[in-house]
Amino acid sequence: MAKRHQEVGASRFGERRRLPAPVSWLVLAQDVQAPYPASTELGKHAAVTQRSAPPDWGAPDIRRRAVSGHFIVSNISQADLDEARTNGGTWSVLQHANIGWNAASRALLSKALNNQAIPNREGLPPHRYLDFAQAGNPNKDKTAQFLRTTKASWVDPNRLRRPTGAGLGLKQLCKKAQDAWAQNKLNEALAEQFLDQQGARVTIEIYHLGGHEMT
């Protein structure tokens, strides 16, 4: 059966034509950076599991559906990003690279962050996702503990945001995470969203790294 996807039968000229294999998420997922060094057993396990399923935030500039985070952080430091990645976080490929940073995309992001309605997400500037997912994570307890206890500077009421303007389309929180968020319990909201049986991940949308626009 597999060969039928690769070859068609002999034509009337006796030639066999090889067709390209169908596009696979396996290839796209290889761009994801694993949270553990590849040389370690944890890294090998994570790499294999990550390649077995498509990341929820999608591949760069594939318009199959709008992708977004559960939360937005305008800026994260390199040190905080490194800490997150050693505790189960993965760093996505660049999104909206074709939009770029310009007056229009900056203005759209500013409106969204100020709880103003925007038409849609398509004009937002380049960004990446810090994603904590249960799939491909051999140490979920460690990740949950990190999310519950981290004092990283981005876990702050003025920085970890869920803007309310229409058009931004952030992912919906599970009930426990939503309740924690309403009580300003940021760490608990992150952990509960990660531990939710249905969602099984929490994703943070980030636009600046170390104070620089994401590229």
Side-chain angles (χ1 to χ4, degrees):
M1 179 65 71
K3 292 189 80 173
R4 294 183 60 188
H5 292 290
Q6 302 296 326
E7 298 181 347
V8 295
S11 70
R12 57 184 176 145
F13 300 105
E15 298 174 342
R16 300 179 71 84
R17 294 185 294 115
R18 182 170 293 275
L19 299 180
V23 174
S24 170
W25 279 106
L26 208 97
V27 177
L28 298 176
Q30 289 175 352
D31 288 330
V32 184
Q33 299 180 23
Y36 307 100
S39 60
T40 66
E41 288 304 314
L42 292 178
K44 293 174 184 176
H45 177 91
V48 169
T49 311
Q50 282 178 341
R51 292 188 178 101
S52 66
D56 193 50
W57 33 259
D61 299 321
I62 288 192
R63 302 307 177 95
R64 59 194 183 92
R65 61 188 173 91
V67 293
S68 63
H70 293 97
F71 302 95
I72 285 184
V73 169
S74 179
N75 178 65
I76 191 170
S77 70
Q78 184 66 57
D80 282 346
L81 174 60
D82 292 343
E83 180 188 30
R85 291 180 63 195
T86 60
N87 285 279
T90 58
W91 193 227
S92 82
V93 294
L94 188 68
Q95 309 291 311
H96 289 204
N98 59 318
I99 301 298
W101 288 92
N102 51 57
S105 63
R106 290 187 185 97
L108 196 67
L109 177 61
S110 178
K111 288 183 67 174
L113 292 177
N114 283 287
N115 301 311
Q116 299 177 38
I118 60 175
N120 52 56
R121 297 180 54 83
E122 291 185 5
L124 289 171
H127 53 278
R128 296 177 190 261
Y129 296 102
L130 177 59
D131 188 55
F132 297 89
Q134 292 190 39
N137 186 341
N139 201 339
K140 295 186 284 291
D141 290 342
K142 177 184 176 182
T143 300
Q145 180 68 8
F146 167 75
L147 293 171
R148 280 195 198 283
T149 61
T150 180
K151 304 298 183 185
S153 59
W154 58 272
V155 187
D156 177 275
N158 295 316
R159 298 186 60 190
L160 187 66
R161 305 274 313 283
R162 279 183 61 80
T164 57
L168 185 56
L170 294 183
K171 288 188 174 79
Q172 186 174 351
L173 297 178
C174 69
K175 180 64 166 60
K176 288 184 178 180
Q178 193 169 11
D179 290 346
W181 180 253
Q183 298 174 56
N184 207 32
K185 297 178 179 178
L186 310 189
N187 288 90
E188 186 175 338
L190 291 167
E192 291 295 350
Q193 184 59 49
F194 170 73
L195 292 170
D196 179 59
Q197 290 186 355
Q198 184 173 355
R201 76 187 325 131
V202 61
T203 306
I204 299 95
E205 188 173 324
I206 303 176
Y207 286 84
H208 299 79
L209 177 61
H212 299 286
E213 294 173 337
M214 199 75 69
T215 55

